[in-house]
Amino acid sequence: MVALNLFVYETTGRALAMGLFMAVRLASGFVAGLIVGGLLARFSAKSIMLWANVGQGSVMLVLILAPESLVTGALMAVSVVIGACGTLFMVALRSSIPEMVGEDRRAWANSLSITGRSLAMVAGFASAGVVVSLVGYTAAFLLDMATFVVCAVTVALLPIAGGKGATSAAETSGDEKAGKSEQAEKSEKGGPRWRPVAFLALAAAPGLGLMVALRGVDAFGSSSHNAALPIYSTSLDASNPAVFVSAFWCVWALGNIGAQQVIQRYAQRTGRSVGALGFGYGTVVMSAAFIAAFAGFPLAVTAVIALIAGAADGLTEVAYTSHLQTLPATLRGHAFGLSATFENLGFGVGMILVAAALDRFTPLAVVGWSHGAAIVVAVVFLLRVAGLRRAERTGRAGRAGLRKEEAVEGRPDRGDRDGAEVSRG
């Protein structure tokens, strides 16, 4: 993405074109999030991941071979395909992890995946400038295309069942099979043809809709620090603003990787995931850390803040992904697709509003408002989860008390029945 954004700007000479490129990428990811649940119901997750990588590698080749007169059109094609296929791949991967590694190893696998992605981000950001400067854009795009080829080969070797992601034969009951012809007949007669499966997925678990909404608000907050970092870095060192940005993201990634090591060990030792509360608390800490990063603290303190932000970000990612993976396979892909749509919507809207706000307000103020909104929603989410857990404990206690009462035929001190003794039989 570093090379592509620079190439767009150099080709068109307009910052607006770079913004349009990012907007088209986010919009295509938004649309892909809406349809990926349906695709997972018809095709295997493995085939979707495979063709998503083939598509991205192919469009990079088109960009490399495009004549100068068609470069702008090729860039738009790259934007659409990268945005859509990136979302398709990520949703298919996340929804299929339980089938790959087993339900009891979800948190471990999610943490390992996020660690790999964080390492790749560091390597990508660190190498992009060197590759583009020394050997040019064509070499950078060839390297990028090669990564998609490697990923496609890796996907081909993944131990994923060949069945369709949401309606495998093992999960389709005889009643469902018998009802298919009836449903088809209703459709032909003008009956309901569409069901909001994605929203049904959110209703399947208490608090899940609020969790996905918080994810969207969190993406809105993320757009603020992404847009504000270059401006803040320029104010620190106008002659070399890239130094602070690169250092900040490298330290952030180290914090993320460190958190994954802790989460992996916790999951292996206890067999448990960090859960919904971990997602809520992690969002609060992460948002507060990003706000503090723009407060003008000394660089050493800011480095510690970036480390904390990365660790909290890693915690929220694992907790969120693992929680959605507890949904039934028939709903999981739809939930992840709707989540991706909310994330793309939050980030896209955020980039527009934040860009306008940064012309009038300081980076600290803009980031404070954006991540402050995430903190508020996170607190509401935590209160909701705490309320659900209290209700669950009360329900369990009530059921236990009822069972105890059923075992007692009567007690004089409680006025039960006629004062008969407790049965010892």
Side-chain angles (χ1 to χ4, degrees):
M1 294 313 302
V2 173
L4 277 172
N5 287 334
L6 288 173
F7 184 70
V8 170
Y9 184 71
E10 186 173 304
T11 301
T12 63
R14 301 179 65 189
L16 180 62
M18 189 169 66
L20 179 62
F21 177 84
M22 294 182 66
V24 170
R25 180 169 61 88
L26 288 170
S28 59
F30 176 89
V31 174
L34 293 175
I35 66 172
V36 65
L39 291 176
L40 284 168
R42 292 170 174 79
F43 307 100
S44 68
K46 186 170 184 174
S47 63
I48 291 175
M49 287 191 286
L50 179 65
W51 286 107
N53 280 284
V54 170
Q56 291 177 94
S58 300
V59 79
M60 294 305 300
L61 182 61
V62 169
L63 178 60
I64 293 168
L65 300 178
E68 189 173 348
S69 59
L70 298 178
V71 166
T72 301
L75 282 171
M76 286 298 105
V78 167
S79 183
V80 171
V81 174
I82 292 289
C85 289
T87 297
L88 293 176
F89 175 83
M90 190 58 64
V91 171
L93 174 63
R94 288 173 173 173
S95 61
S96 62
I97 280 179
E99 281 72 33
M100 278 193 280
V101 302
E103 292 285 342
D104 57 334
R105 301 180 76 196
R106 291 192 325 271
W108 169 82
N110 291 328
S111 181
L112 195 64
S113 175
I114 295 166
T115 299
R117 193 161 73 245
S118 298
L119 289 170
M121 283 179 62
V122 174
F125 280 123
S127 63
V130 176
V131 172
V132 172
S133 300
L134 295 182
V135 289
Y137 290 107
T138 300
F141 297 153
L142 283 170
L143 180 62
D144 201 22
M145 185 180 70
T147 64
F148 290 122
V149 172
V150 171
C151 192
V153 172
T154 305
V155 168
L157 301 175
L158 282 176
I160 309 176
K164 296 175 177 56
T167 52
S168 63
E171 294 171 338
T172 304
S173 65
D175 292 339
E176 289 174 332
K177 292 178 181 177
K180 284 182 180 178
S181 59
E182 182 181 346
Q183 291 173 357
E185 185 178 347
K186 286 182 180 179
S187 295
E188 290 175 2
K189 293 179 180 180
R193 296 172 180 267
W194 177 81
R195 296 175 64 207
V197 183
F199 293 96
L200 292 177
L202 297 189
L208 191 59
L210 183 57
M211 194 176 194
V212 172
L214 174 55
R215 189 70 169 177
V217 178
D218 179 35
F220 179 87
S222 296
S223 68
S224 69
H225 64 249
N226 274 279
L229 262 176
I231 298 173
Y232 183 70
S233 181
T234 302
S235 69
L236 294 177
D237 185 2
S239 62
N240 201 359
V243 173
F244 179 82
V245 175
S246 299
F248 183 90
W249 284 121
C250 285
V251 175
W252 173 90
L254 290 175
N256 197 313
I257 293 167
Q260 302 314 318
Q261 300 305 309
V262 174
I263 292 170
Q264 286 179 43
R265 284 167 174 76
Y266 173 78
Q268 289 175 336
R269 187 175 67 253
T270 65
R272 299 170 57 190
S273 61
V274 289
L277 282 176
F279 172 69
Y281 286 122
T283 301
V284 172
V285 174
M286 175 189 63
S287 296
F290 273 120
I291 294 172
F294 293 87
F297 291 111
L299 292 180
V301 177
T302 303
V304 174
I305 292 171
L307 200 69
I308 294 172
D313 209 351
L315 174 67
T316 59
E317 182 76 13
V318 173
Y320 181 76
T321 304
S322 299
H323 195 72
L324 259 64
Q325 287 168 350
T326 61
L327 289 171
T330 50
L331 300 176
R332 194 184 304 144
H334 294 281
F336 273 112
L338 190 61
S339 172
T341 297
F342 269 79
E343 291 175 48
N344 281 307
L345 179 63
F347 195 85
V349 171
M351 288 298 290
I352 297 171
L353 297 180
V354 165
L358 284 170
D359 286 336
R360 300 184 59 186
F361 302 100
T362 65
L364 176 61
V366 174
V367 175
W369 296 337
S370 303
H371 275 294
I375 291 175
V376 170
V377 178
V379 171
V380 173
F381 171 75
L382 288 170
L383 292 174
R384 169 67 170 159
V385 172
L388 289 171
R389 293 195 173 189
R390 278 197 302 270
E392 184 180 352
R393 284 196 297 268
T394 302
R396 283 201 301 264
R399 289 192 295 272
L402 181 61
R403 287 194 297 268
K404 186 176 180 180
E405 287 183 11
E406 290 173 348
V408 178
E409 292 184 356
R411 287 177 54 183
D413 58 323
R414 292 178 55 189
D416 292 336
R417 296 188 182 179
D418 57 356
E421 293 182 358
V422 178
S423 172
R424 302 294 182 185

